[in-house]
Amino acid sequence: MFKLKQSLSQYKGLPREIYILFIGRIITCIGSFVTPLMALILTQKFGMSAGESGVFIAFQAFIQGTGLLVGGKLVDSFGRKKIIVISESLGAIILIICGLMPLSLITAKMMMASSCFFSMAFPAYDALQADVTNSENRKLSYSLLYIGINLGFSIGPIIGGFLYKNYLSLVFIGDAVTTIASMLLVVMLIKEKGIDEKDNLEEKNVLEEKVEGSVFKVLLQRPIIIIFGIIMFFIQFTYAEWGFALPLQVGGIFGSEGAKLYGLLGATNGIIVIIATPFLMRLTGSLSELKNLCLSAFLYVISFLMFGFINSMPLFFLGVILMTFGEIIGVTNSSTFIANNSPASHRGRLSSILSIISGTGYAISPMVIGRVIDNHGIMQGYILTAGSAMIAIVLIIITNKLMFNQEYVKAKAE
């Protein structure tokens, strides 16, 4: 009990804005009904085949990538809150219309448009979170927001599942209403700091100061950011198999009980995130972001290799727990590293570009590993998955050395 109090007490004294964003994340994720139910809506309500729904979702991911790029540019040009208000309002309005109109192919296209507008807000939130924190409190702040996301998602899909069968219109409207409620909370209670304000920079490292030029110029001046994007590509390539290879494997071993058991593994993942995040932040807080990310990738290597050699449900739970530890450490430290090394003037654009790079790794992983599984078996698929995490570890070690390179230290000082 004492250790629990110590672990939770570390979240005292964070910026007021982080607590507001924490509540907003919970509200948003509780009402996040449409995305988790997307595949079911497309196949059962719109009559699409599995292949057609896959193509639809893939094209939607492309549209979201476009939204990320546009949103990143607009965020740096016009400010964080303006883009949040415009993009989330438009996305929510479209969802409300979807809930009020008869289901048709037009509804599906409007769902795609809504997701595009929502994706435009992602770089704005990333930039806003970085703006209201500094290098000293950022890691803990991001871990608290991560807990909020998982608290919301532990409730939202359950509510959405109950509404889906007989009250589908409320799935759309409820998602929109909670998005608007969270948005209003942020708009009304968080003051946006300009990137030129002195109090916004005095506690931050010089790498966060405003710079001139295009985002490509920034990337060329800071190759570490490019390398970090590649690292996240391989890490996301690995993590994607949690949602692809593992359910296939569990279904193959346990038959009709596989879906139920995978659901229990998913619930375990969410519970571990909520419970273990404060403890892991306390244990790893003294390590640098790159060292923690290396630990995260190493836990992925162990857990995914483990999946390839086991067929016992208790061992699957153990593997998921280890994987979740890696997930917690990786998510909080990767976000912190990006914020610590991004100039405030380019945060939106860098966030969108890095999100697209890492998202590409996540998107192509099922296609690559699926082909390996078909031709060589599940074990070889997991070996390749773990190999991706090993590549990330090697790149992290290289990046860590570059951080102490004389040229980089000189550039940082300037």
Side-chain angles (χ1 to χ4, degrees):
M1 187 65 180
F2 177 70
K3 289 184 178 180
L4 175 60
K5 288 183 178 179
Q6 279 188 324
S7 297
L8 293 177
S9 66
Q10 65 187 329
Y11 292 107
K12 292 181 179 179
L14 295 176
R16 168 180 168 273
E17 294 89 345
I18 289 298
Y19 299 123
I20 297 169
L21 288 168
F22 170 71
I23 296 171
R25 286 294 178 87
I26 295 175
I27 295 172
T28 299
C29 294
I30 285 177
S32 183
F33 303 143
V34 175
T35 299
L37 295 171
M38 179 69 76
L40 287 176
I41 293 173
L42 294 175
T43 55
Q44 295 182 3
K45 302 297 183 179
F46 295 149
M48 292 186 183
S49 66
E52 288 172 337
S53 67
V55 171
F56 182 95
I57 292 173
F59 186 68
Q60 177 175 272
F62 172 77
I63 295 296
Q64 287 176 323
T66 303
L68 282 171
L69 288 175
V70 173
K73 173 60 178 176
L74 294 176
V75 164
D76 290 334
S77 299
F78 300 104
R80 289 50 163 147
K81 288 170 63 172
K82 288 180 181 178
I83 303 307
I84 289 173
V85 171
I86 294 171
S87 60
E88 291 200 326
S89 295
L90 290 172
I93 290 170
I94 292 173
L95 282 186
I96 291 173
I97 295 173
C98 288
L100 297 176
M101 67 184 294
L103 288 178
S104 67
L105 187 58
I106 295 176
T107 310
K109 293 178 180 179
M110 292 179 68
M111 290 165 59
M112 186 180 294
S114 175
S115 69
C116 179
F117 283 119
F118 285 144
S119 69
M120 290 172 62
F122 294 161
Y125 276 109
D126 285 345
L128 185 62
Q129 290 159 194
D131 290 345
V132 300
T133 56
N134 57 49
S135 56
E136 298 298 320
N137 58 35
R138 189 165 283 146
K139 194 181 298 184
L140 278 174
S141 297
Y142 285 4
S143 72
L144 182 63
L145 296 176
Y146 188 56
I147 292 173
I149 291 171
N150 281 273
L151 279 171
F153 275 124
S154 67
I155 301 170
I158 298 173
I159 300 174
F162 280 109
L163 294 174
Y164 171 75
K165 184 176 181 180
N166 298 316
Y167 304 98
L168 183 61
S169 62
L170 293 182
V171 168
F172 295 109
I173 295 172
D175 198 324
V177 170
T178 52
T179 298
I180 292 173
S182 174
M183 179 195 72
L184 290 175
L185 194 68
V186 171
V187 171
M188 294 172 63
L189 298 181
I190 295 181
K191 178 184 177 183
E192 182 173 350
K193 294 183 177 181
I195 59 176
D196 294 316
E197 291 183 25
K198 181 180 179 182
D199 66 338
N200 191 39
L201 296 171
E202 61 185 3
E203 295 181 344
K204 300 182 180 181
N205 67 69
V206 294
L207 289 173
E208 297 181 60
E209 293 183 8
K210 177 182 176 180
V211 298
E212 299 295 333
S214 70
V215 67
F216 300 106
K217 180 181 177 181
V218 173
L219 289 171
L220 289 174
Q221 291 175 339
R222 306 184 187 197
I224 284 177
I225 297 178
I226 300 175
I227 299 174
F228 191 79
I230 299 171
I231 290 170
M232 294 311 300
F233 172 93
F234 286 108
I235 287 179
Q236 286 300 306
F237 184 97
T238 300
Y239 182 74
E241 296 312 307
W242 151 242
F244 179 74
L246 191 59
L248 289 179
Q249 181 187 17
V250 173
I253 295 173
F254 299 101
S256 60
E257 293 295 309
K260 184 188 298 182
L261 294 173
Y262 180 72
L264 290 174
L265 292 175
T268 300
N269 172 260
I271 292 169
I272 293 298
V273 167
I274 295 169
I275 295 176
T277 297
F279 294 102
L280 288 174
M281 288 301 99
R282 190 162 175 265
L283 288 173
T284 63
S286 60
L287 298 177
S288 69
E289 288 79 33
L290 287 176
K291 288 180 179 179
N292 275 321
L293 200 60
C294 191
L295 174 60
S296 168
F298 182 68
L299 288 169
Y300 280 173
V301 171
I302 294 175
S303 56
F304 283 97
L305 278 180
M306 184 177 174
F307 292 145
F309 291 90
I310 62 177
N311 56 17
S312 167
M313 184 51 62
L315 291 178
F316 277 112
F317 278 102
L318 177 59
V320 167
I321 290 171
L322 290 175
M323 184 208 72
T324 306
F325 287 166
E327 176 187 342
I328 294 168
I329 297 169
V331 169
T332 53
N333 283 274
S334 60
S335 299
T336 301
F337 182 89
I338 293 169
N340 287 347
N341 288 274
S342 300
S345 53
H346 290 67
R347 276 183 177 140
R349 282 165 285 181
L350 289 174
S351 172
S352 62
I353 290 172
L354 291 173
S355 293
I356 290 172
I357 294 173
S358 62
T360 300
Y362 190 92
I364 70 171
S365 180
M367 293 187 289
V368 175
I369 300 300
R371 185 174 292 272
V372 172
I373 292 173
D374 286 341
N375 295 329
H376 304 286
I378 193 78
M379 184 182 296
Q380 283 70 24
Y382 278 127
I383 290 174
L384 180 57
T385 299
S388 177
M390 283 299 302
I391 294 174
I393 290 174
V394 173
L395 291 174
I396 292 168
I397 293 172
I398 293 172
T399 305
N400 195 52
K401 290 182 178 180
L402 283 175
M403 291 288 286
F404 293 97
N405 183 282
Q406 290 298 320
E407 292 297 324
Y408 184 77
V409 172
K410 181 181 179 181
K412 182 174 178 178
E414 294 175 349

